[in-house]
Amino acid sequence: MIRIQGIVKAAQIARSQLQAGIPPSRLLSFQAFIQETLGKIEEICANANMSPAQLPTPSRKAYEFLAQIDLANLPVTSQNSPAVSVQPIRLKNIRNQQQQVLGAVASIVANPQNSHSQKQQLLKSLQETVATIEGICTQQNATPALLNKTSRQIYAWMKFLTDSFNLERHLSATRRTQKLAEEMLWSQMQHPCKTIAVEFTNITHLYKGKIGPLEAKAQINAAFVNATDEILAALVRLAFLGKNQEDSQAIKKYALSEEYSEVVLELDVMADTEAENPQGKCYNLDRLFHTINREYFGGKMVKPRLSWNRSFTTRKFGHYERGRDRVVLSISLDSDRVPQYVVEFVLYHELLHKQHEGKWVNGRLNVHTPEFRQDEQKFRKYKEADQWLTNLASE
């Protein structure tokens, strides 16, 4: 597999400049930077008889981010002020705090008889830790979006778990996967190690696994919290027993699913949404909400917090955070080339999540129930909007 140095760094530079806004005097140079970077990547891939889609995951995602930047609709600052270099915020002991949370999760899974009080204690601890991190950012006139990569990933994961629904999903997935791992390794006596540990957390990889003489440990991407037992079993086999084609294909397919993308976006928006601002470059979410509320909810829905996410996305375009009663839409939609009815449909879809709480089925939270899908199809241009989003994702 070919590796191209500098792609991820280029995407980080572009993201920072998009977040800060681009001075008018630098518009042409920024456009040239993106075009030249994409051209070099595509040229290298062509010479290697491959496509950018075959790059390693971090490079592929960086390329996809750069490729979908709308160079004709860039965020521009009001004046040509000199760019200010902002140093990422690094949190001390953040990994230790992560391990404490993982330890508490393992204790709850191992001792279900005391789970209620332990869950309440863990929720309180998570809320206090998250509040402390946000306080540190506020003291530096910043937001969690300016945390360095490691700190931002762990913060987003802990923020995700402060929602009781998310914590329940996390515990359920950990409990089921732990049981599958124990049955696979202990009952079959393939690896008679003393302890088996399974952890779900916000990592770049899909999974990691290692087996030592005393412990077998697997780390699994938090986006698998909605997975079925079949997918979790495949992860366990891959992490502990080595790769096989059938399980690898099943995991890759799931990683492209809506259930997986839903959690990925939810984790992303935890830190990347710098400020809640319903006004985009083209669309105002407050105005669209009032239109949708009047047309589909009889004007009776209480308006949630509405915001545009800073991250460009190519598969998942919106998310509803029940714990904070907030709808976040991707700025990929905030463009004059995107019809208003498409933005309204995504907002309507997320508002349905506010209306429909979802149902627990076999330890998994189903948020797209038959009742949800039935209401979703009541949107006046459902087929057109759905097709438009499908085409946008395929770009």
Side-chain angles (χ1 to χ4, degrees), residues 8-20:
V8 175
K9 183 64 175 177
Q12 291 172 340
I13 293 172
R15 183 189 293 272
S16 297
Q17 292 187 6
L18 289 169
Q19 290 177 346

Side-chain angles (χ1 to χ4, degrees), residues 161-214:
L161 295 181
T162 58
D163 184 310
S164 59
F165 283 101
N166 292 337
L167 180 59
E168 197 61 51
R169 283 194 287 172
H170 181 90
L171 291 169
S172 173
T174 304
R175 187 178 297 111
R176 288 183 289 130
T177 312
Q178 180 77 28
K179 182 180 178 181
L180 288 166
E182 291 173 354
E183 291 175 350
M184 189 175 298
L185 298 183
W186 278 341
S187 63
Q188 297 179 16
M189 295 302 290
Q190 293 183 12
H191 300 280
C193 45
K194 291 185 177 180
T195 60
I196 298 172
V198 172
E199 298 175 347
F200 284 77
T201 188
N202 193 11
I203 57 176
T204 304
H205 301 80
L206 296 178
Y207 64 89
K208 295 179 181 179
K210 63 179 181 180
I211 296 180
L214 299 178

Side-chain angles (χ1 to χ4, degrees), residues 349 352-353 356 367-376:
H349 176 100
L352 286 178
H353 281 302
H356 296 264
V367 294
H368 295 128
T369 61
E371 294 81 7
F372 180 99
R373 292 301 189 192
Q374 185 177 7
D375 281 349
E376 182 183 42

Side-chain angles (χ1 to χ4, degrees), residues 87-94 136 140 146-148 151:
Q87 292 296 321
I89 301 171
R90 178 180 175 274
L91 299 174
K92 296 180 179 179
N93 299 320
I94 188 69
I136 292 172
Q140 300 189 39
L146 292 178
L147 293 171
N148 68 5
S151 299

